[in-house]
Amino acid sequence: MNHPTRNAVHPVDAWLPPGKNLLLALQHLLVMYAAAVSIPIVVGNAIGLAHDQIVMLISADLFACGIATLIQTVGFWKFGVRLPLIQGCSFVAVTPMILIGQAHGMPAVYGATIAAGIFCMLIAPLFGKIKRFFPPVVMGTTILLIGLSLMPVGVRWAAGGVPKAADYGSVENLTLAAISLGSVLLIYGFGRGLLRNTAVLVGLLVGTAVAALMGRTDFSKVATEGWFGVVTPFAFGMPVFDPLSILLMCVAMMVIITEVTADFFAVGEMVGKEIGDQEIANGLRADGLSTVLGGVLNTFPYCAYNANVGLVAMSGVRSRWVVATTGVLLLVLGMFPKLAAVFASMPLAVLGGAAIVMFAMIATTGIRILGKVDLKNGNNALVIAASLGVGMITVAVPGFYEKLDGTIKLFLHSGITTGCVTAIVLNALFNGKARGADTAAQPAPVV
């Protein structure tokens, strides 16, 4: 006799009705779109590329995001963690790409990107054996840091995105952010079923509609973009493999790997799926392969988008096939620039309002995990306190490490990475097996 639960499909692997699946996929697309298009713009302008080259970068990036998302969510052989994770270019890689591009040109950027992707695939099996270093006290602290580190991003978006812009922090931007945030909260709080699941999507649409009535949406670029575009491999020429450029990009990749591993654990916790050594290795191999493809397609290193991790927590939808559908939508946007321009017309302030609560939802996941930790144990309290303190340095003061060497600065600039490494080291030092008998008796410090 078969148990009904024995053959049950895990929610991560479950297919949803087509209409609901498409709506939820569209919601993920709107959340990640602003960050996806901003990186090609920032990198292209910093290196001095022409306008048509930057447009090509945007289309290529969207197309590559779609491929990377499908590899990570659908998976094949030993590639893909098979979780609902949207893939996009990591902001960690922006600085190295600009430095390499300014010094050696775009072919060197893509040579370093391809080499970093191969490096990621090679070390994936070794990095996949680190789960024992992520007990709840480390995992919870790291996930809490992810949410807290993203909050300034959401706040900047809510104010308009660019601090130097004339309308940054204007009444109009703050009003749009408030409408978007209020709509998300009301729909999520009082809605049921599909309406509650799509609270962020509806909130973004409400905010955009109000922005249109206020004359704050700009659809002029839709008319100027072409209907169809083809992503051409090696459009800037064959890659150049400069040793120092490769080293710099591999350092950035190590930072990305640390953050991505935390994302795997975070989403695994949200969807109720155990993440073991093999899943970590498979996920990192997928990131490495996607990064190699990024170098071929004139784009960048790829990893999980934290903004969409927050959306998984917010929506409560665990199916990886929803995110796989988003991957298909990204492929379509990469091939139809005019359609992509329509999505780009949503004001950043509207996205910022929704992002504030989404990013905070990641932090609450970390708090929930820390709720399982014995905080009466003084060593656990110290691990959490020190890791949060170190990780929040660059969130509080972004230029704190500005005068340090470039490579060291690159590593330290990521508060998620520094906080995670601090938590791992201090937990091993204070809560190691050799000290197990002593730590239980040590109370938390009284403040």
Side-chain angles (χ1 to χ4, degrees), residues 42 91 94 113 118 163 204 271 430 434 441:
V42 170
F91 282 92
V94 169
T113 299
I118 295 171
L204 294 176
V271 302
F430 296 144

Side-chain angles (χ1 to χ4, degrees), residues 157-243:
W157 287 352
V162 183
K164 294 182 179 180
D167 67 342
Y168 185 79
S170 66
V171 173
E172 291 84 358
N173 281 339
L174 300 186
T175 300
L176 289 174
I179 290 172
S180 175
L181 174 59
S183 300
V184 170
L185 293 177
L186 289 173
I187 295 166
Y188 191 82
F190 296 105
R192 295 291 180 269
L194 179 60
L195 182 62
R196 180 185 174 98
N197 294 148
T198 57
V200 173
L201 172 61
V202 177
L204 294 176
L205 294 177
V206 170
T208 303
V210 173
L213 293 175
M214 293 170 59
R216 301 283 294 182
T217 52
D218 181 13
F219 292 100
S220 61
K221 294 182 179 178
V222 176
T224 60
E225 293 292 348
W227 281 104
F228 184 75
V230 178
V231 178
T232 306
F234 304 124
F236 289 89
M238 295 303 293
V240 173
F241 297 96
D242 174 65

